[in-house]
Amino acid sequence: GIQSLSESLLEARRHEFSQKQIHNATILVLDSRSAEVRAAVGNFDFWDRAHGGQIAGFWVERSPGSTLKPVLYAMGLDKRLFLPSTLVPDVPVNFRGFSPRNFDQKFNGLIAMEDALAHSLNIPFVNLLNKVGVEELLTTLRRMGVRSPKELQGYYGLSAIIGGIEITAEEIAGVYATLARGGEYLPVRWLSSREGTPLMKPVAIFDSGATWLTSQTLVIRDRPDFPNRRNVSNETGGVRWKTGTSFGQRDAWAVGYGKAHTAVVWFGNFDNSSSSALVGSETAAPLLFDLLEALDGRDGTAATGKIPPNIGHLQVCAFSGMPAGEACEQKRTVLAFNDRLPVGSCPYHVHVDVDIRTQKALTPMCRLGRKYETRSFLRLPTDVRRWLADTAQNLPESPKLADFCTRRGGNEKAKIKSPEEGQVVLLMSGIDPSQQKIALEAELPPESEQVSWFVNGKFLGSTTAHERLWWVPELGDHEVAASDENGMVSRRKFKVRAP
């Protein structure tokens, strides 16, 4: 019955998709508990010789788009790098020439990690992969039966999390079935075991709490072709799901699980031709919902089981979503880990002693004899402040230090973010260097407000914490230095080369 349903759902869309130059598709359905295959449809039409109808699509290696983000999300939770509510930067970044962009080409400044996953933002997950490590992600995938990626150290980069890797539908199904089982892996089974044969012992991949929180995040969005359904009915979200769209719109994926089944839906072309209609949320997701809701219903309360014992209620900062610090005046309660919390509390709220008469900030060394009060202020990361300034948005500002105060010394240096250490900049021929300026950017320690820039010992100018300085490149080897107000200096070496 599940096989017939899957074939019928594809057949009903075949003509429509053919008109959109989409000629290949696949569906794979697993029993989530046992990992046994319940349905496998390799293509629209087995007899379609013109479009490789006899190729089994569930075994073809394709770019997964964003479908691996829940794996990295669960890994980050497992390592207690964040909570679902934690705010993370979503601003322009550059990793040695790799500048990822979100699918809609927009930025959000700061966004909760659970929203970054629900809306499939790229930059927060590239940043997260940079922390976790590409090889560790690949190792975790291999533990869940993923064998398609090449086993060459350093072969894949940070783009792996946004589709820069190849994987099969069968492998993706095995990964999501692991999430559906609470973080325990079983290999995909194509042939039924003899009656009474016990299942292989599951392998624990993720902490049960991390898996549960990941599943809760995957249900935040309702089906895309009926996005406000919960507002007009009593139905809860029955499908934990994620979509993926590969670069150049060559693959459209939707993967998810309900109470009892895990399913993968893929559309594309085996000749790698693209189509503007190949968007996971628009093309593949509606079919995934039709399939899983027919099999498991729309009540998803049992899809992820009971709340694990290491998940409880936690008070966090209402702004940052992180464990509240002393300066966090407003708090809210979220479901989070109760055994081991992420290191550190909210970094965005700070206490500042403010002179009541001048409304200027005071340090402990200069507040003697003055009337002051301690207030809470929001201090955003430098890269977020820079993006806000670039987009003409208001910056939350804490008061300036009083003129008669000397800034306290510290051991923390400014961190040069651009250019990167050892970066090689290639100038484009035929274009004047003045049109190829290099951005000088730094992350300043909390007590600093200004940075002075030097290239090869020559002073170029000073900028505030959220500004960047532009340098006209010259061929050769260079050293850039950034000096803050305390005289702490950071240095980077880089090269400028002709093509």
Side-chain angles (χ1 to χ4, degrees):
I2 299 176
Q3 179 71 27
S4 297
L5 172 64
S6 301
E7 292 177 5
S8 298
L9 288 172
L10 269 191
E11 179 61 30
R13 289 163 170 80
R14 180 184 172 192
H15 177 72
E16 172 197 348
F17 285 2
S18 179
Q19 299 300 307
K20 298 176 180 177
Q21 302 303 308
I22 301 172
H23 302 293
N24 302 113
T26 196
I27 290 178
L28 195 64
V29 182
L30 305 184
D31 180 311
S32 296
R33 186 188 69 84
S34 65
E36 290 181 327
V37 176
R38 294 287 180 242
V41 187
N43 219 321
F44 276 122
D45 180 8
F46 183 80
W47 302 109
D48 183 4
R49 294 179 180 274
H51 301 103
Q54 295 182 21
I55 297 175
F58 38 75
W59 286 331
V60 176
E61 297 176 5
R62 304 291 303 191
S63 165
S66 297
T67 58
L68 297 180
K69 287 176 181 174
V71 176
L72 184 60
Y73 186 86
M75 291 175 66
L77 289 171
D78 227 349
K79 294 175 178 293
R80 304 301 192 266
L81 297 179
F82 57 85
L83 300 174
S85 56
T86 299
L87 281 185
V88 294
D90 179 31
V91 295
V93 292
N94 186 290
F95 296 95
R96 290 186 175 272
F98 173 50
S99 300
R101 292 288 185 268
N102 293 322
F103 186 76
D104 61 4
Q105 301 296 313
K106 297 178 181 178
F107 303 98
N108 297 277
L110 287 169
I111 191 166
M113 272 302 296
E114 59 186 358
D115 292 328
L117 177 58
H119 296 281
S120 199
L121 301 181
N122 290 337
I123 293 170
F125 281 89
V126 172
N127 286 331
L128 179 57
L129 183 56
N130 190 45
K131 290 181 181 178
V132 171
V134 176
E135 295 304 321
E136 187 158 350
L137 170 65
L138 293 173
T139 298
T140 301
L141 291 173
R142 290 179 183 121
R143 293 182 66 205
M144 291 186 283
V146 177
R147 296 289 178 261
S148 294
K150 294 178 174 60
E151 295 196 32
L152 297 174
Q153 186 83 15
Y155 184 84
Y156 298 101
L158 296 176
S159 65
I161 198 59
I162 55 176
I165 198 171
E166 290 191 335
I167 191 171
T168 69
E170 178 188 0
E171 291 168 333
I172 291 179
V175 167
Y176 275 72
T178 301
L179 294 175
R181 277 189 298 274
E184 295 185 332
Y185 167 71
L186 285 172
V188 174
R189 298 170 61 195
W190 286 86
L191 300 178
S192 296
S193 300
R194 284 178 292 182
E195 189 174 350
T197 302
L199 291 173
M200 167 188 164
K201 185 177 180 181
V203 178
I205 304 296
F206 303 114
D207 170 89
S208 61
T211 311
W212 189 86
L213 289 173
T214 301
S215 291
Q216 295 304 110
T217 302
L218 292 176
V219 80
I220 288 177
R221 298 180 69 197
D222 207 339
R223 61 181 295 161
D225 54 340
F226 197 170
N228 299 313
R229 179 175 56 174
R230 295 176 204 172
N231 298 336
V232 296
S233 73
N234 293 324
E235 297 164 354
T236 57
V239 176
R240 275 67 179 160
W241 63 290
K242 182 73 186 72
T243 61
T245 303
S246 68
F247 179 77
Q249 292 182 258
R250 293 177 171 84
D251 304 88
W253 296 87
V255 197
Y257 49 95
K259 287 182 180 179
H261 296 89
T262 297
V264 177
V265 177
W266 170 85
F267 290 103
N269 293 302
F270 291 147
D271 65 1
N272 278 330
S273 57
S274 63
S275 168
S276 60
L278 282 172
V279 178
S281 59
E282 299 173 9
T283 305
L287 191 150
L288 177 78
F289 273 85
D290 288 345
L291 182 59
L292 286 176
E293 289 182 345
L295 296 177
D296 294 347
R298 295 176 177 174
D299 181 4
T301 54
T304 53
K306 297 180 180 179
I307 299 178
N310 65 339
I311 297 295
H313 290 91
L314 174 71
Q315 272 209 334
V316 298
C317 170
F319 174 76
S320 71
M322 297 180 68
E326 293 182 0
C328 300
E329 297 178 338
Q330 296 183 335
K331 303 176 181 66
R332 59 189 171 104
T333 302
V334 299
L335 282 170
F337 302 105
N338 56 23
D339 57 346
R340 184 165 52 91
L341 292 176
V343 177
S345 57
C346 171
Y348 303 125
H349 286 105
V350 294
H351 272 147
V352 178
D353 295 332
V354 180
D355 187 305
I356 295 178
R357 183 179 65 83
T358 65
Q359 297 298 301
K360 294 289 186 69
L362 302 173
T363 67
M365 299 297 293
C366 64
R367 67 189 183 193
L368 187 64
R370 296 186 175 274
K371 292 184 177 180
Y372 67 92
E373 59 183 8
T374 303
R375 301 177 188 170
S376 177
F377 292 94
L378 194 63
R379 182 176 288 159
L380 299 181
T382 301
D383 52 354
V384 176
R385 296 179 66 195
R386 185 179 294 118
W387 175 79
L388 289 171
D390 288 346
T391 54
Q393 299 185 54
N394 292 329
L395 289 168
E397 296 286 353
S398 54
K400 302 291 185 183
L401 190 66
D403 296 336
F404 52 83
C405 286
T406 56
R407 193 168 301 280
R408 70 182 187 276
N411 295 321
E412 191 176 352
K413 298 180 180 180
K415 297 177 182 177
I416 299 174
K417 303 195 72 174
S418 175
E420 295 189 15
E421 178 65 36
Q423 182 176 349
V424 178
V425 179
L426 290 177
L427 295 183
M428 292 180 286
S429 59
I431 301 177
D432 192 275
S434 63
Q435 303 299 314
Q436 303 182 60
K437 294 179 181 178
I438 297 174
L440 306 182
E441 302 175 7
E443 178 83 33
L444 296 183
E447 66 272 11
S448 295
E449 297 177 354
Q450 201 168 56
V451 59
S452 298
W453 291 98
F454 302 81
V455 172
N456 302 328
K458 180 181 178 181
F459 175 67
L460 299 181
S462 299
T463 62
T464 60
H466 59 271
E467 293 176 330
R468 61 171 61 90
L469 191 68
W470 295 93
W471 176 67
V472 178
E474 301 172 359
L475 295 178
D477 296 352
H478 304 286
E479 182 183 71
V480 59
S483 174
D484 64 20
E485 294 148 295
N486 293 320
M488 301 293 287
V489 180
S490 294
R491 303 178 188 276
R492 287 273 178 88
K493 291 184 178 180
F494 66 102
K495 301 178 181 180
V496 178
R497 296 285 185 262

